[in-house]
Amino acid sequence: MATHAGPVERTATLRQAAAAAGESVAALAALAPAVAGEDVPAESTSQSYFRVREVELSDQQAALHGLLVVHRGLEDLCEAPLSGADLALEVAGMRRSVLDLTGVAPGADHEPVPPVVVPEPGARPSPESAWSARWLVGHQVHVLFNVCAAVAVADATRHLRHGDGDAALGRMADATEYVRGFPAAMNHAGTIPADYYMAAIRRTMEPPSTDIPLSGRQHRGYRLFRTAMKDLLSALPDSYDQLAARAPELAEARGALLEADLVDAERHVTLAYSLVHLRRSIAQRPEGPDNAVAELRLMRHRRAAQYAPLIRFGDHYIADAVAGLRHS
């Protein structure tokens, strides 16, 4: 993937990837068609808004629906002005999700695949409709990464509790790849003009357009991931120094995952600032900080304080400050 090439080469490789993903979707759909998502009742206002549903699926159906999300994401990335660094992280997360959902091992031998004929782009939608669609598509990629990361972390925890350190290391590495993709997918969703977000999108996520104001707290996939992370740390509570002394590879793998999780919180602050500046969050509690950025910074600081003793370069200044506040 030419993530850092010029716009022509970059778009050409993205179209090639999107076309290949489309062929994989067609092959999986030939085995059994996709579930009609709109026929499945939404369990929350958030699910309804972001076109996300939760239902038991076979392995084939899970792979098909995951690839549909990847396909839509790649098609939109052909036009989205995402940075090369974020593009690399998002595509890496997409690749990992395809490997996990299809059960294909990395580097496995495959039958030769004929060159994909990339169709010329058709009539383009208006910028406004493309921006509105991008907001949903980027969030759906984020949900896919959340769910896959939650499964990978839960797998790692199970392997740890059964004494299989090598398997735990592998699944923690997989989870880290997804978590590094979290902010990339969110930035993908946010590659729209801030003025358009404020005028056209933000109002669709609060009453009277929705029953309740929408926020990230309502994404079940993200809550599953946070629960899985809590369970992992209960199974592996040692400080970084303690863990590095007895299992250095495990200390580094856990550290990489926690660093990625902390960076996700930090980048959420900057994304919110770029879209809403210093306005309050639509889902902010009255007793909360003065604006969305301040509230997200508090979330970052709490996470940094929790992770400080568990990672090599922990933010001990914040950890000490938070501890002082708790004892004051």
Side-chain angles (χ1 to χ4, degrees):
M1 179 67 66
T3 57
H4 290 71
V8 174
E9 183 181 355
R10 168 174 148 151
T11 302
T13 58
L14 280 166
R15 285 188 180 139
Q16 187 87 1
E23 289 201 345
S24 297
V25 165
L28 284 167
L31 301 176
V35 174
E38 294 303 322
D39 293 343
V40 179
E43 296 181 2
S44 68
T45 303
S46 178
Q47 283 191 357
S48 178
Y49 180 88
F50 288 106
R51 316 293 196 272
V52 172
R53 297 293 188 272
E54 187 173 331
V55 66
E56 288 288 334
L57 296 173
S58 66
D59 290 346
Q60 177 269 339
Q61 283 284 290
L64 172 57
H65 282 273
L67 271 161
L68 281 166
V69 173
V70 168
H71 183 224
R72 287 192 294 268
L74 286 169
E75 286 193 319
D76 186 68
L77 285 171
C78 293
E79 304 292 337
L82 196 64
S83 73
D86 274 338
L87 179 58
L89 292 173
E90 186 172 357
V91 169
M94 289 176 169
R95 177 180 179 274
R96 171 51 52 194
S97 69
V98 171
L99 294 174
D100 279 355
L101 289 168
T102 60
V104 176
D109 293 331
H110 306 288
E111 293 295 321
V113 178
V116 177
V117 178
V118 181
E120 289 297 318
R124 293 187 177 185
S126 69
E128 292 78 12
S129 62
W131 295 332
S132 293
R134 180 169 302 148
W135 182 249
L136 298 180
V137 168
H139 275 86
Q140 289 173 355
V141 174
H142 189 260
V143 169
L144 175 65
F145 289 175
N146 288 171
V147 174
C148 289
V151 172
V153 173
D155 287 348
T157 303
R158 186 177 68 255
H159 291 313
L160 284 171
R161 287 178 170 149
H162 286 86
D164 192 344
D166 289 342
L169 285 173
R171 289 306 273 158
M172 267 195 266
D174 294 343
T176 302
E177 202 161 18
Y178 288 124
V179 178
R180 287 173 178 159
F182 286 4
M186 287 304 299
N187 275 7
H188 175 185
T191 52
I192 57 179
D195 289 348
Y196 181 76
Y197 171 80
M198 291 300 303
I201 293 182
R202 197 175 200 242
R203 61 180 176 78
T204 68
M205 297 191 295
E206 60 183 334
S209 297
T210 59
D211 296 337
I212 57 172
L214 301 184
S215 79
R217 298 186 189 95
Q218 295 151 12
H219 291 304
R220 178 168 157 78
Y222 191 63
R223 295 203 307 271
L224 288 172
F225 169 71
R226 294 253 59 91
T227 299
M229 289 292 285
K230 183 178 180 180
D231 197 29
L232 172 68
L233 295 184
S234 72
L236 203 63
D238 318 56
S239 71
Y240 175 82
D241 290 340
Q242 291 169 336
L243 188 56
R246 67 175 177 83
E249 289 184 341
L250 195 55
E252 291 301 320
R254 186 191 65 178
L257 175 59
L258 298 183
E259 288 280 11
D261 193 32
L262 182 56
V263 168
D264 177 45
E266 292 167 347
R267 295 196 64 196
H268 203 164
V269 174
T270 58
L271 175 61
Y273 182 80
S274 70
L275 289 178
V276 303
H277 196 42
L278 298 179
R279 298 176 179 88
R280 289 181 66 83
S281 162
I282 58 175
Q284 206 163 333
R285 298 184 179 95
E287 68 275 13
D290 290 337
N291 58 59
V293 167
E295 184 164 17
L296 289 167
R297 279 205 184 107
L298 281 178
M299 293 168 63
R300 179 269 171 201
H301 293 335
R302 292 189 193 104
R303 194 172 301 172
Q306 179 190 4
Y307 291 172
L310 306 178
I311 58 181
R312 188 176 181 185
F313 303 108
D315 190 342
H316 296 286
Y317 292 103
I318 288 295
D320 291 345
V322 170
L325 288 172
R326 285 173 179 159
H327 293 98
S328 61

